Amino acid sequence: MNLDWFANEKIAGESLGAYLDCTGGGAFDRRADTRQSADVAKEILTACENEVAALQEALADIFRRKREFVIAGKSPDETAAFYIAEANAQLEPMVREGRKID
């Protein structure tokens, strides 16, 4: 995600912060979990579904107003969904790397 999208966007910035707190905190809290990283990441995303949905809606709102950020050939909602999926995909490697901290 590009942080420029969040410039002067209070609600979107708060949504991003809540998303990062929830997913990052969930990964940290589960760093001793011995299950597969993919299973842990899926559990975290389920626990953070409200934050994920809020961030996706905030991004879609930005993209509806700032069309220059929309991916060519996609709608604002599709663009938001794409970037959320991309961010969520980073959770599994974060879980795996977090286990190396202990």
Side-chain angles (χ1 to χ4, degrees), residues 61-98:
D61 178 60
I62 290 169
F63 298 150
R64 283 183 207 109
R65 291 181 287 109
K66 299 179 180 179
R67 300 294 236 172
E68 67 271 20
F69 296 137
V70 175
I71 297 170
K74 293 193 181 290
S75 71
D77 291 332
E78 291 168 333
T79 299
F82 172 84
Y83 286 114
I84 290 295
E86 207 174 63
N88 288 346
Q90 297 304 310
L91 190 55
E92 183 182 347
M94 186 170 71
V95 168
R96 192 171 34 257
E97 288 299 312

Side-chain angles (χ1 to χ4, degrees), residues 12-23:
E14 289 171 354
S15 294
L16 177 62
Y19 171 87
L20 293 173
D21 284 346
C22 190
T23 56

Side-chain angles (χ1 to χ4, degrees), residues 20-38:
L20 293 173
D21 284 346
C22 190
T23 56
F28 183 81
D29 292 344
R30 292 168 179 82
R31 66 192 180 282
D33 194 316
T34 58
R35 293 177 293 151
Q36 292 292 316
S37 298

Side-chain angles (χ1 to χ4, degrees), residues 47-67:
C48 297
E49 66 185 336
N50 291 337
E51 290 81 0
V52 171
L55 180 56
Q56 185 165 335
E57 181 51 39
L59 283 173
D61 178 60
I62 290 169
F63 298 150
R64 283 183 207 109
R65 291 181 287 109
K66 299 179 180 179
R67 300 294 236 172

